[in-house]
Structures are given as structure tokens and as C-alpha cells.
């Protein structure tokens, strides 16, 4: 059974703090690692699709790094704002061929206090 | 917003009944995946449809079935509902199948089974 694990489960920070969380995934048969941001009552929003070892992607104040050899990815948020409050999910595609079946972690819920 | 819509938004059913959930994929997307998110967990892959054919299935019993139509919209059907089927059901569409292709999610249908 493949496991995608995220830590911490939840995080409370003050506005302006920088924060990071971890996604661990199986390091064998790697295709890609997806990060999603999910605000309450909205659709999960794709942040990054990471495919190469050592990859680093950035979107505004949010960035992510990837280590496929050891099976982890970090998501960083610089200078957290209240609007960053959401659940951040990572997902690892699994399955033969190109099914694109995503195995999700349980998510990290971030609460940013003004 | 992603352009992926789901209906209905909320639904209450009784144990043993049958339910149909609907998803309209984003324009130009020919692949639809369905996920179940139970409370406190990440989304779990149910199955995927590509050009009207099932293309990969997760660990769900046969009473979970689906359809994809020529316009690439999709239905998820669940027969003989059980209390544990209470969850948020998400659909996601993508332009091409493949583990590194972004999947765009709808807002979900909240199903409550009593």
C-alpha cells in the first residue's frame, strides 16, 4: 500500500510568519508530485506539479522543493497572510500506465492569525 | 474558479437508497476522475474515465459505478448506500491522462447518509 504522509497535521501561525510543511512519498517509480491548496467551501486549487529531482517552483510567496531520491517535498510560505489559511494537500500519482490516479496525503491545515 | 461544476451541492439520503452525482468537466478536458473525501482524510481515488471508458479504479466496491458522456461530463452512481458513504465527493478533470497533468477540481457534493 502506497502512503503519502504530510506533517504537521495542522499549524497556527501569526500574520507575517514564514512557515513550511512536509510531504513524504514513496521514492520508487516516481512520476510527479502535486501540491494543492484547498480553502473552505471552495475547490482544491492546483499549486504545483513537480517532476524533476531538485525541482524548485515558486508562485508568489509560496514555493516548493522536491527530493525524489529520499521521497519528500517541502512547501514554504513566506510572510504568511490570513488569506493563506487553507488546507494544503500533496498527491502522488500511482498506477501503471497513465491513469493519473492521485494518492493524497491527509493535508496540513494552516491557520494564519491577523 | 476551475470551470468544473458539480451537482447537487448537498444531498441527504437514507441507507439502502441509490444516488447519482454529476460533474461537468472543464471545456476541452476529456478525462474525469472521482474522489471521496471522508472527514479528516485526504481525498481517495474512486475511478477515472477517459473518452467514455473507465480507465483505472481505486479500492471501492462495485456498487460505486460511473459513466462518462460524449460531452465528457460524468456521473457517479452509488447503490445500496451505507452510512460510511457519507463524505464529500469531488470530481476532477484534465486535458490529457497522465500522472504529471494537472487535475482541476470541482467544489464537491456533500453526501449525508442517515
Amino acid at each position: 500500500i502506497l502512503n503519502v504522509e504530510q506533517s504537521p497535521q495542522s499549524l497556527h501561525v501569526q500574520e507575517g510568519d514564514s512557515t513550511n510543511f512536509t510531504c513524504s512519498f514513496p521514492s520508487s517509480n516516481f512520476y510527479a508530485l502535486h501540491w494543492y491548496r484547498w480553502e473552505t467551501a471552495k475547490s482544491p486549487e492546483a499549486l504545483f506539479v513537480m517532476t524533476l529531482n531538485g525541482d524548485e517552483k515558486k508562485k508568489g510567496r509560496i514555493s516548493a522543493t522536491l527530493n525524489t531520491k529520499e521521497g519528500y517535498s517541502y512547501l514554504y510560505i513566506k510572510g504568511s497572510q490570513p488569506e493563506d489559511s487553507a488546507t494544503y494537500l500533496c498527491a502522488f500519482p500511482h498506477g501503471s500506465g497513465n491513469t493519473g490516479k492521485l494518492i493524497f496525503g491527509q493535508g496540513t491545515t494552516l491557520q494564519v492569525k491577523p | 474558479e476551475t470551470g468544473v461544476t458539480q451537482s447537487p451541492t448537498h444531498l441527504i439520503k437514507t441507507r439502502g437508497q441509490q444516488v447519482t452525482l454529476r460533474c461537468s468537466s472543464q471545456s476541452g478536458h476529456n478525462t474525469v476522475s472521482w474522489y471521496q473525501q471522508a472527514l479528516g482524510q485526504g481525498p481517495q481515488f474512486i475511478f477515472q474515465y477517459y473518452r467514455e471508458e473507465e480507465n483505472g479504479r481505486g479500492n471501492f466496491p462495485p456498487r460505486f459505478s460511473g459513466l462518462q458522456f460524449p460531452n465528457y461530463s460524468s456521473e457517479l452512481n452509488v447503490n445500496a448506500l451505507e452510512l460510511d458513504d457519507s463524505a464529500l465527493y469531488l470530481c476532477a478533470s484534465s486535458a490529457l491522462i497522465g500522472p504529471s497533468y494537472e487535475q482541476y477540481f470541482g467544489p464537491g457534493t456533500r453526501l449525508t447518509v442517515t
Side-chain angles (χ1 to χ4, degrees), chain A:
Chain A
I1 298 175
L2 293 182
N3 267 334
V4 178
E5 297 195 357
Q6 292 186 247
S7 62
Q9 193 171 346
S10 65
L11 202 50
H12 295 256
V13 301
Q14 288 293 134
E15 182 175 354
D17 288 350
S18 292
T19 186
N20 66 85
F21 14 97
T22 307
C23 172
S24 300
F25 53 87
S27 55
S28 58
N29 297 320
F30 178 83
Y31 290 111
L33 194 281
H34 295 242
W35 279 102
Y36 285 88
R37 178 173 177 272
W38 195 0
E39 287 183 75
T40 304
K42 293 189 177 180
S43 309
E45 173 198 355
L47 284 174
F48 306 114
V49 181
M50 309 184 76
T51 55
L52 298 173
N53 185 41
D55 219 0
E56 183 169 342
K57 294 206 172 183
K58 193 173 179 181
K59 196 177 203 175
R61 293 179 292 97
I62 304 176
S63 60
T65 60
L66 180 69
N67 183 323
T68 60
K69 292 181 180 177
E70 295 184 34
Y72 65 82
S73 176
Y74 292 137
L75 189 80
Y76 299 91
I77 302 179
K78 186 177 176 183
S80 303
Q81 299 296 308
E83 58 265 30
D84 295 329
S85 298
T87 295
Y88 292 83
L89 291 162
C90 67
F92 178 80
H94 172 64
S96 60
N98 285 328
T99 66
K101 164 186 171 182
L102 292 181
I103 309 292
F104 279 87
Q106 76 274 35
T108 294
T109 300
L110 174 67
Q111 190 80 26
V112 182
K113 297 177 185 175

Side-chain angles (χ1 to χ4, degrees), chain B residues 18-35:
Chain B
Q18 178 265 343
V19 70
T20 297
L21 310 182
R22 294 179 175 84
C23 172
S24 291
S25 58
Q26 188 159 315
S27 177
H29 287 186
N30 57 17
T31 304
V32 174
S33 302
W34 284 91
Y35 295 84

Side-chain angles (χ1 to χ4, degrees), chain B residues 9-21 36-39 63-64 76-89 109-114:
Chain B
T9 306
H10 297 89
L11 201 51
I12 299 174
K13 288 284 190 177
T14 303
R15 192 169 50 182
Q17 285 187 315
Q18 178 265 343
V19 70
T20 297
L21 310 182
Q36 180 198 65
Q37 197 222 7
L39 209 59
R63 59 190 185 82
F64 284 77
L76 164 66
N77 298 291
V78 187
N79 293 322
L81 282 166
E82 300 177 1
L83 296 179
D84 284 350
D85 296 333
S86 296
L88 181 71
Y89 289 85
T109 293
R110 173 75 61 189
L111 172 65
T112 302
V113 182
T114 62

Side-chain angles (χ1 to χ4, degrees), chain B residues 48-59:
Chain B
Q48 182 183 84
Y49 278 82
Y50 170 63
R51 291 187 175 178
E52 302 178 57
E53 298 286 330
E54 187 178 293
N55 183 55
R57 189 178 182 95
N59 190 25

Side-chain angles (χ1 to χ4, degrees), chain B residues 55-110:
Chain B
N55 183 55
R57 189 178 182 95
N59 190 25
F60 280 81
R63 59 190 185 82
F64 284 77
S65 63
L67 280 174
Q68 188 179 31
F69 300 100
N71 66 355
Y72 303 131
S73 66
S74 178
E75 283 182 358
L76 164 66
N77 298 291
V78 187
N79 293 322
L81 282 166
E82 300 177 1
L83 296 179
D84 284 350
D85 296 333
S86 296
L88 181 71
Y89 289 85
L90 294 163
C91 77
S93 73
S94 56
L96 292 167
I97 57 171
S100 62
Y101 292 111
E102 283 186 1
Q103 294 190 22
Y104 295 86
F105 282 84
T109 293
R110 173 75 61 189

